[in-house]
Amino acid sequence: MGGTAVVVGGGIGGLAAAIGLHRTGWAVRVVERAPVLDDAGAAVSLAANGLRALDELGVGGAVRQAARGQYLGGTRTPEGRWLARMDGRALERAVGAPITGIPRAVLHRLLREALPAEAQLIGAEAGPVRQVDPGTVRVDLDGTALDADLVVAADGIRSTVRSGLFPDHPGPVHSGSAVLRAITERPVDLRTDFELTWGRGAEFGHIALRDGRAEWHAVLPLPAGTRFTDPLAELRRRFHDWHRPIPDLLDATRPEAVLHHDVHELRTPLPGYAVGRTALLGDAAHAMTPNLGQGACQALEDAVTLAAALAAAPDVETALARYDAERRPRSQAVARAARQAGRMGHQLSRPLAVALRNTAMRLTPSAAAVRMILRHHDWQPPRLG
């Protein structure tokens, strides 16, 4: 089955969906409202499930070439004591790949290069999406419209398409936290590829990138809308006495590179990921907290599953029903697990609770920790042909 499709949103999930549809014979237009594709963002962690999805889309090789595997590292206390070690080799043996880190800008570029330039409509604001007859969905644009057999809404956590399809849904809610992150300006002398440090009411982590730089993030429990005059100076104040390389990472960062985002999630699960001939994908469908590093991976799973369902089904409605049945249970389970993981990290501030968590982590066998990770990483994509 083929036809015409409009993808609303040119982020990771939207571009991946467009690639999958293009590879299976659809004529695709990606509508992205940003007038300039500056690819603002830090880096993305991709686990084996996300890499497998990219392999099926035909861009896995290029992404692996640009990414860096995270083999050595783990979780520490602010004083530097190890709570748990991460064994990237064990993950690689179990599922074929360790967690990998890649700059978001590089991943966006590789995805865009897999699409024809004429398929990408940049600087266009998508308006309401309406099904004008049983076989046609219309996307209003500035003074014009696009008619298609299918619309894929990949327009993010504040999806206007989702709001139109589910007007009674409460939408995203603030998780109680904010994340500040950046990529260092220069390479940093790191002894590990990946670290996560849990303190009382704060978290700091880093992933190493292929060129020697690193992406770091700090998660803090902050009210929505909180902003600092000098975010980098604020982080230096909060983390100055935490173990190295945390101060080194901050020192290697330009102040203007620091991004500050409130963390929101779709805490109330959607009752469906498709209505009529419109499908929801990525954060528009299941925005989750970043505690498992699965946001991008779940969007990539969505993209491949959707393209495969449309390639195999006799009609769009049947394909979207299959997509919903396959993706909703898994992605919503991952979102719940991410929320629970957050409760074990920066959200703990009482000394006794922190001490109990740290003891439990030290006593957990590494094999058991790997098995917990595999629940999310061990996913096989459907074939696109």
Side-chain angles (χ1 to χ4, degrees):
M1 177 178 57
T4 58
V6 174
V7 178
V8 181
I12 293 171
L15 291 171
I19 293 169
L21 292 169
H22 176 68
R23 286 174 64 87
T24 52
W26 287 73
V28 185
R29 296 295 300 275
V30 179
V31 179
E32 169 55 48
R33 66 182 178 182
V36 178
L37 295 174
D38 58 0
D39 296 326
V44 178
S45 292
L46 296 173
N49 55 321
L51 290 170
R52 285 173 175 162
L54 290 165
D55 287 338
E56 196 61 36
L57 294 172
V59 295
V63 170
R64 291 168 195 266
Q65 286 284 331
R68 174 167 166 169
Q70 311 293 297
Y71 288 99
L72 298 175
T75 306
R76 304 172 77 176
T77 68
E79 299 76 26
R81 293 193 301 273
W82 289 101
L83 297 174
R85 297 274 190 170
M86 184 190 75
D87 186 350
R89 297 291 179 191
L91 274 179
E92 191 171 46
R93 288 192 297 270
V95 291
I99 297 170
T100 62
I102 184 171
R104 184 178 292 270
V106 174
L107 179 57
H108 279 200
R109 174 177 57 79
L110 294 173
L111 292 173
R112 286 200 305 269
E113 288 175 353
L115 284 170
E118 61 271 19
Q120 302 172 60
L121 187 58
I122 309 304
E125 181 81 30
V129 173
R130 297 169 289 134
Q131 187 148 343
V132 294
D133 61 49
T136 306
V137 193
R138 178 168 296 162
V139 179
D140 288 332
L141 301 177
D142 302 322
T144 184
L146 292 175
D147 285 350
D149 303 303
L150 169 73
V151 168
V152 179
D155 52 339
I157 189 169
R158 303 206 176 274
S159 169
T160 58
V161 179
R162 181 189 64 235
S163 298
L165 297 177
F166 298 101
D168 296 328
H169 188 272
V173 297
H174 186 237
S175 68
S177 303
V179 59
L180 292 88
R181 55 164 59 95
I183 294 178
T184 61
E185 183 180 17
R186 61 180 185 272
V188 180
D189 183 17
L190 301 173
R191 297 185 179 182
T192 58
D193 301 310
F194 164 88
E195 285 184 15
L196 192 63
T197 301
W198 280 344
R200 291 176 54 187
E203 169 188 310
F204 196 100
H206 79 254
I207 58 174
L209 302 175
R210 180 171 285 276
D211 63 4
R213 295 182 301 158
E215 190 258 15
W216 57 260
H217 75 267
V219 185
L220 303 170
L222 293 172
T226 301
R227 292 296 182 269
F228 303 113
T229 304
D230 187 338
L232 191 58
E234 176 66 21
L235 294 175
R236 286 188 174 125
R237 183 187 70 79
R238 289 176 181 253
F239 295 103
H240 73 278
D241 59 349
W242 286 35
H243 66 81
R244 296 186 67 183
I246 292 173
D248 303 328
L249 291 163
L250 296 175
D251 287 343
T253 302
R254 291 182 292 109
E256 60 270 24
V258 180
L259 304 173
H260 184 159
H261 294 114
D262 297 330
V263 178
H264 289 80
E265 61 174 327
L266 284 186
R267 192 168 298 165
T268 302
L270 287 174
Y273 287 180
V275 175
R277 286 176 169 248
T278 300
L280 294 166
L281 182 148
D283 282 352
H286 47 68
M288 60 190 69
T289 62
N291 304 94
L292 294 178
Q294 276 287 312
C297 292
Q298 290 302 303
L300 292 168
E301 287 189 20
D302 290 346
V304 174
T305 303
L306 177 63
L310 287 161
D315 54 68
V316 170
E317 290 79 7
T318 301
L320 296 191
R322 176 179 169 182
Y323 165 72
D324 178 63
E326 292 187 14
R327 291 302 304 148
R328 188 152 48 97
R330 173 168 164 79
S331 60
Q332 291 180 352
V334 173
R336 288 193 299 271
R339 188 180 310 121
Q340 292 163 1
R343 293 175 183 146
M344 293 297 292
H346 69 280
Q347 293 181 19
L348 290 184
S349 59
R350 294 183 179 180
L352 178 58
V354 170
L356 289 173
R357 176 202 63 198
N358 291 355
T359 300
M361 289 191 67
R362 281 194 292 264
L363 294 177
T364 300
S366 59
V370 170
R371 285 196 298 271
M372 291 175 63
I373 294 173
L374 292 182
R375 288 186 303 165
H376 311 303
H377 294 202
D378 194 13
W379 173 84
Q380 294 292 338
R383 300 303 304 272
L384 293 184

